[in-house]
Amino acid sequence: MAFLDILVYPDKRLRQRAEPVTVFDAELEKLVQDMAETMYAAPGIGLAAIQVNVLKRVVVMDLSEEKNDLKVFINPEITPLEGTQEFEEGCLSVPGVFASVERVERVRINAMDVKGNPFELETDGLLSVCIQHEVDHLNGKVFVDYLSRMKQDRVRKKLLKEQKESASQAA
Amino acid sequence: MAKPNPEKDRKRTSTSIQLVAARVLRDVIDQGRSLDRTLEAETARLDLSLRPVLMELAYGGCRKYYFLDGFLSKLLSKPIRRKDRMVHFLLVVGLYQLAYMRMPDHAAVDETVKALAASKQSWARGLVNGVLRAYLRQRDDHSLDKLELELPASALVSFPPFLFDAIYTCWPEYADSILKTSNHKPPMTLRVNQQKTTRLDYLALLAARSIDANPTAESTVGVILDNPVSVDRVPMFAEGWVSVQDESAQLCTEEMILAPGQRVLDACAAPGGKTCAVLEAEPSVKLTAVDLPERVETIRQNLARLGLQAEVRDSGLGEYADWWDGKHYDRILMDVPCSGTGVIRRHPDIRHRRQQGDFERFSAQQLDLLEDAWPMLAKSGMLLYVTCSIMPAENDEVIRQFIGRHSDASVQQVDTMVGINTEYGLQRLPGVHSGDGFYYCRLNKL
């Protein structure tokens, strides 16, 4: 197992579109394991492969307090069903920033597990928010994009400044 | 995605209780939600020590809403915009604190203004400060009394105009007492389980635990506590020695003239209070309790706690093909869904959740339920029709229509308790008789 490096906003690589997974092999299983490990260490509740610079449509998630309920979504597709909800979201690629984002309340998820078996579920609440957030990542989108231009600027400057500071400290 | 913001959670635990109370009032008054259910959801997230204050603000705010709202409209130069309802309800909470709570004036104002910040409505600080201080100024120079004279009569007793009018029309000579008592905090009344102990012994047990209590005047199994306590502090509650039940409701059992071995149907049984009362009074009856699937669980819980046996059926009364064994019942208890206008002191949100036309809607449903139950009553059996409504439309009027359709139904006077004899039944009114407002009518099958 290994901890992977998480790309930090406004890294351009977060803007790429991930490719569907076609091969379900040991390499994919290792990626999922490493991603889970990285997510738990962060600590986070969801991680998309693109955030660790892997251009595959892979999402790991664990919403439980006990960190014992790992969910894996390969090639996830979302169908919006009904309602809207607002939730204060944060992102491992945008550390320290939390902002309220409006999402669809109830969605249907079609995805595959790590072996390639398809499954379907309907959900609302945090799982719904989280999967929408992660699928955005797979499409090159970050939750900051939903904020006003002014707030986006502020986030960008804050993170660039922090990155500069940590770089100079390292040097 | 990152874990939800820990910083925000910290803020939430220090959340303003005034803001939570304002949110509860908005949900109940603007959105017609049930006070108890809204409170249940809010208190689950709340520090235990804050719960009593929230209860006081939410229950009290519901009780005094129309009165405080009346004042508010006099104190404001123009009404608060529809989209700023939270500010409106925070002002109601602020006024409630100033008028009814033992809280220093400055604290009541400050806490309300702080609640604005917590709800990101700091723009209204000047407004809220101004209104609350205007209230204090007018209270201190006694011009508030003058303002009070300008309020409509319905606002003075904190009732919506239509309900105020309806009560006055139905009970002109008693309306003052009814309205006044509906605004009082109700007493906590217990029903002693005769199968486990006696009222005398239980009163002795309460005395030993320094809980002040008195026997009820009419019910032979009732005990009234001087000060309400939560049920987990009621001695032997979990062991099934007592249940919480108003005196008027307790009196149902005596009305039914139960005899050993009778077949009894409790046709609208949830939450099971009267079901259990029947079994405690006459444990040898064969009792079937019916209510809708989402409601029966509480019946089972109550039976289990009290150590009583009944057949519980989760079904609509009208779908008796699904559950009835075809044998007629000697007694049917029909405590039908109603407007609850007799129990407003226990459920202050009822005044907010009723609208014009509700009484007619309830009466249509009540008549349907009676029609459903009647075929299951044995010849010379008796059906006891009960509501906690004080509206004749749901009471005598329903019976009038029912006996007009059924020549085999005859009314037998209710004579075992104090109350107002109406054309067909007996009405107890809050503030006039002891206990909640209830209506009873006995129908015999010829």
Side-chain angles (χ1 to χ4, degrees), chain B residues 303-318:
Chain B
L303 287 167
R305 183 177 62 82
L306 296 164
L308 302 167
Q309 306 290 329
E311 182 189 27
V312 180
R313 295 297 198 156
D314 54 348
S315 177
L317 185 63

Side-chain angles (χ1 to χ4, degrees), chain B residues 140-182:
Chain B
D140 295 341
D141 68 14
H142 303 289
S143 52
L144 217 50
D145 306 345
K146 222 162 55 207
L147 211 59
E148 210 172 296
L149 291 177
E150 295 172 22
L151 296 180
S154 60
L156 287 176
V157 287
S158 192
F159 265 70
F162 97 90
L163 193 52
F164 177 87
D165 290 344
I167 293 174
Y168 256 100
T169 310
C170 299
W171 304 104
E173 64 272 53
Y174 300 116
D176 285 333
S177 306
I178 296 170
L179 294 164
K180 205 169 122 214
T181 305
S182 296

Side-chain angles (χ1 to χ4, degrees), chain A residues 19-103:
Chain A
E19 297 295 327
V21 173
T22 48
V23 184
F24 294 83
D25 56 2
E27 193 188 325
L28 181 68
E29 278 178 37
K30 168 123 180 25
L31 173 67
V32 165
Q33 270 186 23
D34 289 349
M35 281 174 61
E37 200 75 344
T38 307
M39 171 181 78
Y40 287 131
I45 56 173
L47 186 71
I50 206 153
Q51 293 176 273
V52 292
N53 200 23
V54 175
L55 288 182
K56 286 182 181 163
R57 299 188 84 78
V58 175
V59 168
V60 295
M61 199 187 290
D62 190 340
L63 309 177
S64 69
E65 281 296 324
E66 301 79 22
K67 301 183 172 185
N68 57 5
D69 185 25
L70 182 68
K71 293 182 169 69
V72 180
F73 302 88
I74 312 286
N75 302 337
E77 303 273 350
I78 299 176
T79 316
L81 293 179
E82 59 183 4
T84 57
Q85 58 181 335
E86 255 186 54
F87 188 82
E88 181 138 309
E89 295 183 21
C91 177
L92 296 178
S93 291
V94 193
V97 175
F98 293 88
S100 204
V101 176
E102 191 179 296
R103 305 265 186 197

Side-chain angles (χ1 to χ4, degrees), chain B residues 122-144:
Chain B
S122 296
W123 63 267
R125 291 170 79 149
L127 173 73
V128 169
N129 238 317
V131 169
L132 297 183
R133 289 190 193 284
Y135 174 88
L136 288 174
R137 219 169 26 245
Q138 301 198 25
R139 183 191 67 188
D140 295 341
D141 68 14
H142 303 289
S143 52
L144 217 50

Side-chain angles (χ1 to χ4, degrees), chain B residues 171 174 216-220 246-252 254-255 387 413-422 425-442:
Chain B
W171 304 104
Y174 300 116
T216 48
E218 290 175 66
S219 163
T220 55
D246 181 78
E247 185 176 8
S248 290
Q250 292 182 20
L251 292 168
C252 279
E254 279 169 53
E255 280 318 298
T387 71
Q413 205 191 10
V414 172
D415 52 8
T416 51
M417 63 173 104
V418 186
I420 298 165
N421 282 303
T422 61
L426 181 129
Q427 180 79 57
R428 287 166 71 92
L429 296 170
V432 181
H433 309 99
S434 68
D436 291 335
F438 265 78
Y439 171 86
Y440 314 85
C441 174
R442 283 172 175 168

Side-chain angles (χ1 to χ4, degrees), chain B residues 354-368:
Chain B
R354 294 290 167 257
Q355 300 157 11
Q356 201 105 43
D358 277 3
F359 306 130
E360 289 69 29
R361 239 192 328 277
F362 278 115
S363 75
Q365 186 190 7
Q366 289 152 352
L367 200 54
D368 283 350

Side-chain angles (χ1 to χ4, degrees), chain A residues 44-46 88 90-91 98 133-134, chain B residues 1-6 8 11 120:
Chain A
I45 56 173
E88 181 138 309
C91 177
F98 293 88
H133 178 115
E134 302 309 338
Chain B
M1 199 161 111
K3 277 202 155 175
N5 194 350
K8 194 184 164 200
K11 267 188 239 149
K120 297 184 183 164

